[in-house]
Amino acid sequence: MSGDWPLWEVFVRSRRGLSHTHAGSLHAPDAELALRNARDLYTRRSEGVSIWVVPSSAITASSPDEKDPFFEPAADKPYRHPTFYEIPDGVKHL
Amino acid sequence: MTPTPETTTGAPATATAAAAGAPATATTAALALGDDALVLSHRLAEWAGHAPVLEEEVALANIALDLLGQARVLLSMARDEDELAYLREERAFTNLQLVEQPNGDFAHTIARQLLFSTYQRFLYEALAGDPVFGPLAAKAVKEVAYHQDHAEQWTLRLGDGTDESHRRMQRGLDALWRYSGEMFRPVAGLEAVNWQELEARWLASVNAVIERATLTVPEGPRHGAWAAGAGRQGLHTEPFGRMLAEMQHLHRSHPGASW
């Protein structure tokens, strides 16, 4: 079954949400049915939501083994962080 | 069961209307549509735990829940919903024979869904401005549009899938085709519906899906067959009695209990 019914990752943006959030995964034979299954499983058909489905095989993940060289350098250089700036009033969602 | 002329008259649906004090035709129509939804909901619920994959099981349960919700509203319009669902005999149910047909294999279930949900969608669209059924139709049409889409998607995949799925999908359509004519027999109380136009829209939609799915539109008769119109008059096929026995068993064993 897993051959004909590959795994899909589901990203959902709720009605008032700003971005798509990973909601979970499911099996479906193709993208159209993956969307419909995602609607039933993860949105309860609330109106005004957006769903993305992506075949799991299309996602490349960072490796946990490479965590240190991958993420470490950024943490110890404070000048890389925008903490020396004051955020102007009226700028939201930063 | 052999339909006989005397059993087609004086259906208990008429008696129900008198008891409720509602206009008889509105009650007759509410019962007919409510029974369709109730019976099909029950059939779909039988898939629970048996669907080909978990995701499809959720989809079928979802559709069953939608239909049960519609049935509750419609039966409550006529009388007490539980009394109507659990305490009527087979002859008092006025659902279409199509919806009481057993599930069969997955393709058979999808064929039944395609024929019925397409009908239900166009029927509820036609009822949108109806003073009695308009509010229900406006809510339900969104649900049944999804049911129709679900059935279409699967008809296309099974019909245009493997040789085996194609064969089974065709078999399902062929087996159920003769029950489809009954859907377009006018129901008293649904004066807003132009039944000929409804049938024309239904045929065009269903035929288009069948052809896209590389299947053949069945050639068998839809009207004039022995089954046409019988369900609405309380005459049902044999599997329906067994379904009702299971559905009503607990309520009849403990009448009057609250759950």
Side-chain angles (χ1 to χ4, degrees), chain B residues 7 32 47 51 91 94 97 124 142 150 159 162 219 228 243 246:
Chain B
T7 51
W47 271 107
R91 286 293 176 98
T94 54
Q97 290 188 345
Y124 282 139
K142 289 190 224 164
H150 173 266
T162 64
E219 286 175 358
M243 195 207 96
E246 188 180 303

Side-chain angles (χ1 to χ4, degrees), chain B residues 7-39:
Chain B
T7 51
T8 62
T9 55
T14 327
T16 312
T25 50
T27 306
T28 307
L31 275 179
L33 301 186
D35 285 349
D36 285 350
L38 174 69
V39 171

Side-chain angles (χ1 to χ4, degrees), chain B residues 118-161:
Chain B
T118 305
Y119 158 78
Q120 223 188 0
R121 178 182 183 171
F122 294 149
L123 178 68
Y124 282 139
E125 281 180 7
L127 285 171
D130 186 87
V132 180
F133 296 101
L136 165 87
K139 179 176 179 287
V141 77
K142 289 190 224 164
E143 296 171 348
V144 297
Y146 177 70
H147 304 171
Q148 186 198 17
D149 174 76
H150 173 266
E152 280 188 15
Q153 293 289 335
W154 273 115
T155 303
L156 295 175
R157 279 161 184 78
L158 295 173
D160 199 9

